[in-house]
Amino acid sequence: MKDWNVCGRKYWGFDSFQGLPNPVNEDQQGSLITGAKGQFAAGLEQVKQSFRDFGLEDPTLVELVPGWFNESLPNAAVKHIAFLRLDGDLFASTHDALVHLYSKVVPGGLVYIDDYGGFNGCRLAVDTFRMVHGISSPLHWIVEDEERHHDALHLQLGRVEAVWWRKGGWRDEEWYNP
């Protein structure tokens, strides 16, 4: 991260550090993973130690913000985002992150959503948000075992793990301003 930070950007990490929140009704829709409260928990101190192990304890480079997204994101000090990477897994987490952070993604910035192909709620949150806000930038799929699947015909043989898109410019219909 230090080597790639030629612009002096700050990296923000928002997490509950308690695992997943309670799934909601939207997480139950579909045939993908539902998720469970507390799943994937990693404590704040454990994560900080991992950063120290890699020499990334510099608070001017990385700031970790504990809390549920609906509590920590509305007043987040983040002003502009060049690369938004979300790993909320569930509907409410993914939805809250998009609602509070998408407007901060600069035109031309990238949005990467992990677990879009694995969790019901994540996919529904992304698809609903994009539809409601008229986001027409194409979704690019990140497929597990992609090296074995080189064309759209064989794409269904791999599992879509994540998606990404580039945010359009200020004149595009997708410029989201709540």
Side-chain angles (χ1 to χ4, degrees):
M1 289 171 62
K2 287 182 179 180
D3 294 340
W4 298 338
N5 194 20
V6 295
C7 298
R9 292 188 173 127
K10 185 171 195 170
Y11 296 89
W12 293 84
F14 293 87
D15 199 289
S16 71
F17 299 102
Q18 300 175 53
L20 298 179
N22 281 320
V24 296
N25 289 338
E26 290 85 350
D27 294 304
Q28 312 298 325
Q29 300 173 16
S31 60
L32 303 174
I33 300 169
T34 301
K37 182 177 171 83
Q39 188 176 9
F40 308 124
L44 177 59
E45 287 310 312
Q46 178 184 356
V47 173
K48 284 183 176 181
Q49 183 59 51
S50 293
F51 275 80
R52 283 191 293 273
D53 291 347
F54 289 98
L56 298 172
E57 64 273 328
D58 181 354
T60 63
L61 180 64
V62 176
E63 183 162 341
L64 299 175
V65 181
W68 301 110
F69 291 166
N70 64 332
E71 298 167 352
S72 62
L73 293 179
N75 298 311
V78 177
K79 301 289 185 228
H80 305 287
I81 299 171
F83 180 71
L84 175 63
R85 185 192 188 282
L86 300 181
D87 188 6
D89 300 326
L90 301 183
F91 180 84
S93 303
T94 304
H95 176 266
D96 290 343
L98 286 169
V99 164
H100 296 294
L101 297 177
Y102 190 76
S103 62
K104 298 177 181 191
V105 176
V106 297
L110 299 177
V111 179
Y112 180 100
I113 312 286
D114 194 28
D115 296 315
Y116 176 88
F119 282 79
N120 294 319
C122 176
R123 178 176 286 196
L124 182 59
V126 170
D127 292 348
T128 301
F129 185 86
R130 285 174 51 91
M131 181 186 67
V132 167
H133 297 289
I135 299 170
S136 58
S137 297
L139 282 179
H140 301 276
W141 295 4
I142 306 297
V143 179
E144 288 184 348
D145 301 320
E146 189 172 21
E147 66 277 357
R148 296 186 325 188
H149 313 291
H150 299 291
D151 56 57
L153 178 63
H154 294 102
L155 193 57
Q156 68 274 12
L157 298 176
R159 186 175 78 81
V160 174
E161 172 58 23
V163 293
W164 68 272
W165 72 89
R166 182 177 301 278
K167 186 173 182 180
W170 66 274
R171 291 185 181 190
D172 291 350
E173 70 280 359
E174 71 177 70
W175 180 250
Y176 171 62
N177 190 1

